[in-house]
Amino acid sequence: MSGFFDLNVPVQELDEDSTRHVVKKLASVGYKTIALNHVVELHLGAKSVAKPRMHFADEVVPVQGHRHPMAIHSRLTVLLNESTSMNLLAHESLQSYDLLAVQPTTERHFQKACMDLEVDIISLDLTVRLPYNLRQPPVRAAIDRGVHFELLYSPMLTEGLTRSTIISNAKNIIRLTRGKNVIVSSSAYSSMQVRAPYDVMNLGSLFDCTPSLSRDAVSKNGRSVLFHAEARRGHGMATVKVKPVSQLAKAQQWQVRKIHECRQEESESEDDDEDEDMEEEENRENETPLVDVDSAAVDSAGAGAVKRKRSSLDGEDEAPLAKRADAI
C-alpha cells in the first residue's frame, strides 16, 4: 500500500459515467488508492444504512507509472447536525464501509467527533465561515486518537470569495494541527476538477505547509487513515484482514500471483544455499592435510646450524691472527 491517495471521490448514483471518468482521470495522473464517498444524513427515525455498492469492483483500472491496478475503497460520510441519530453511528451496517467520516456542523458535534466518536476522518465545509471556533484541546485529542482532518481542493478552483474563505479556514486547521494528521482530497465531480499529486502538493504553500507536510497529505497520511480504519473495524485487536482467495475481486488477483512468485523465489534461493554448503563441505574434504613436524627435530636442527656458523666464524678470526704472528 503505497503511492498517492485521494480518499474522497463522490459517488454520483444518477451519473455513474461521470464517476468512472473521474476514477480513470485519477489513475492517469498517478493516484494509486482512492475511496468512493457516499454522503448520508442519519435522522432520528432512521434504523440502518444501506450497504455500499462496490462500483468498479470487477474492473481493472491501470495506474500511470505503476505495475499494479488502482485500489478502490468505500467511504461513508455522515453529516452531523441537531437531527442526527448519534447512536446509529455504532450500527454494524456502517462497518461494511472501509472508511467512516463525519462532517460536524456545530461546535458540540465537532468536539464529540474529536474526542469520542469512532471515526477515521473529520471533514469540514471550508467554503463558508465556520459558525464556531476551532480549539486546540479537541483537535489535539483527535490527533492522539489517530483521527485525520480533511481538506478539499476542488472547491478552490472557483473564483471569488469562496477561494479566500477556504484558504483562511485551511490555514487555521494547519495552525492547530501543525500539519499532522491532515489529508488533502479532491471531492471532484468531473474529470476537469482533478489535479495531479504534485500540483496538489504545490497548493500546500497556500496553507502555510512545508513541502514534506504537503507530500504527506497526499501519500503517507492516506495510508495511515486506512490502517486506522482496519484497527477500528477490528476493535483494536489487529490490523490484519484475512479474506478467502475465492472472494477476491479481479483487480486483486495479482496479489495471489505475487505471493506465489515470492514463495518460488524463496525456495529457489534456499536450494542455492544448500548447494553452496554441500560444495564447501566437499572442498574441505578434498583439501591436503597439513604435515605435523616434530618440534624437537626442528630445535636440534636449528642448534646444529648455529654451532656450524660459530665454528666458521671462529676459523675466519684465527686465520688473520696467524698471518700477523708470522709477519712479526
Side-chain angles (χ1 to χ4, degrees), residues 149-185:
F149 294 89
E150 182 180 53
L151 305 179
L152 305 179
Y153 69 80
S154 63
M156 290 182 56
L157 303 179
T158 59
E159 297 289 344
L161 185 61
T162 301
R163 178 181 297 179
S164 60
T165 303
I166 293 174
I167 294 175
S168 176
N169 290 329
K171 283 185 176 181
N172 192 21
I173 293 176
I174 296 299
R175 178 181 61 83
L176 293 173
T177 61
R178 297 180 181 178
K180 298 180 180 178
N181 287 39
V182 175
I183 62 173
V184 178
S185 306

Side-chain angles (χ1 to χ4, degrees), residues 17-38:
D17 290 337
S18 296
T19 305
R20 182 176 284 102
H21 292 326
V22 172
V23 171
K24 291 183 177 181
K25 180 65 175 180
L26 289 169
S28 66
V29 295
Y31 287 93
K32 184 69 174 60
T33 305
I34 68 170
L36 299 178
N37 186 27
H38 303 254

Side-chain angles (χ1 to χ4, degrees), residues 43 130 134 155 159 221 225 250 256 258 286 293 315:
H43 298 292
L130 297 177
L134 301 180
E159 297 289 344
N221 294 347
V225 171
K250 292 182 179 179
V256 180
K258 186 65 175 178
N286 295 331
V293 181

Side-chain angles (χ1 to χ4, degrees), residues 24-79:
K24 291 183 177 181
K25 180 65 175 180
L26 289 169
S28 66
V29 295
Y31 287 93
K32 184 69 174 60
T33 305
I34 68 170
L36 299 178
N37 186 27
H38 303 254
V39 182
V40 297
E41 292 188 38
L42 301 180
H43 298 292
L44 294 175
K47 296 182 179 180
S48 63
V49 178
K51 292 184 178 181
R53 289 181 56 194
M54 295 305 296
H55 298 266
F56 323 119
D58 296 331
E59 295 187 19
V60 178
V61 182
V63 181
Q64 179 70 25
H66 292 268
R67 293 187 305 166
H68 305 308
M70 172 181 283
I72 302 177
H73 299 272
S74 60
R75 166 180 164 174
L76 180 68
T77 300
V78 180
L79 300 178

